[in-house]
Amino acid sequence: MTEWEIFAQARALHDAGDCDGALTLISKARPELERIRGHVACLQASCHERKGNRALALRLLENEIAAGTTNFWVYYQIGGLYEATGRQDAAMAAFRQAHGLQGWPESAAHGYVLSHDYFSPNIPVWKQWFADTITATPIACLEIGSWQGISSAWLLDRVVAPRGGSLTCIDTFEGSSEHQSWLHTLDMSVEEFFDHNIAATGHADLCRKLKGRSQSVMLQMMNEHFDFIYIDGAHEARYVIQDALLCWRVLRPGGYLLFDDLDFRFPEHPEQDTAKAIDAFLAWFSDELSVVERGRQLLVRKLAGD
Ligand SMILES: C[S@@+](CC[C@H](N)C(=O)[O-])C[C@H]1O[C@@H](n2cnc3c(N)ncnc32)[C@H](O)[C@@H]1O
């Protein structure tokens, strides 16, 4: 078995809830796994965290950093652990380091601030999409759900400022349902994070902030047109379907619509799982779109429309 096959087996055990099984497999295969030790450390850390030993999880990742790792996931995961243990400055530093490893040094250079990073794992695929597929220049972008402005800052740094165009960001800045239990623990409001980051890009003049529920705000925007729209706001199917329908009206033919969180689940209300709305939308509009890529995110191209 290759190291990646062993890793996949351990990951499957972890995902099935068998963390002891995953840890045993890893310790037996230790020499074979040496070449991918950063990934392995992340998996071990996740197992220990699930087992309630966050201190050990942190130690494993800190050891990797001390050993000089350049593995993005190590910094990304430790950022989340630092945040969960109230070490917000350490979390921010780890996330910025992670951004640098994804080829986005502007995050550290501009001093972006964040508590939770929902964006940086997307950077490699976004880079590829914006290089090969989403090539409109200048480009009009719309983002529903901007949170602390990290995906917005990347779009400004890497797409809108170099090409010309604009970015419209719609957010309540009140967080989504999944944020409500801990939002009050942050030192700054979501909107303060967002405002800081957009100003720090140096391209605030290219960004329009619209505060409110997208399902209402967009009703005033039906005469506008966009080349790229990112739907990452409320994840409940009842809201995602409204966002999708409204966005479809303002997406130019040939434009691209990107949905986040296909895998988002509401265990208490499975009828609201995000993918329920996305799959309904795909079925109803199948003759007006082509699917470019479906993973944790779904990118579609608009072929035609009214
Ligand atoms: C997951 S976060 C967005 C993350 C961001 N795109 C990123 O990658 O950094 C979801 C955001 O959607 C916003 N939101 C939730 N419901 C909304 C609604 N009905 N209208 C507008 N924004 C909403 C929340 O306030 C939150 O900031």
Side-chain angles (χ1 to χ4, degrees), residues 116-120 122 126 143-152 170-180 190 212-215 230 232-236 239 243 260-261:
H116 295 70
D117 182 359
Y118 298 113
F119 175 66
S120 64
N122 301 325
W126 280 43
E143 177 176 68
I144 293 184
S146 298
W147 181 239
Q148 297 170 340
I150 293 300
S151 46
S152 329
I170 304 178
D171 203 301
T172 58
F173 298 106
E174 290 171 0
S176 302
S177 53
E178 68 272 17
H179 301 138
Q180 297 311 312
V190 175
R213 293 177 69 248
S214 52
Q215 299 80 27
Y230 182 36
D232 190 17
H235 298 314
E236 288 88 347
Y239 300 124
D243 286 340
D260 191 42
D261 288 310

Side-chain angles (χ1 to χ4, degrees), residues 22 44 66 68 70 87 95 110 122 169-170 202 232 239 242 263 269:
Q44 283 178 293
T70 53
R87 296 169 62 185
F95 287 137
H110 296 170
N122 301 325
C169 296
I170 304 178
D232 190 17
Y239 300 124
Q242 293 182 59
D263 54 357
H269 295 284

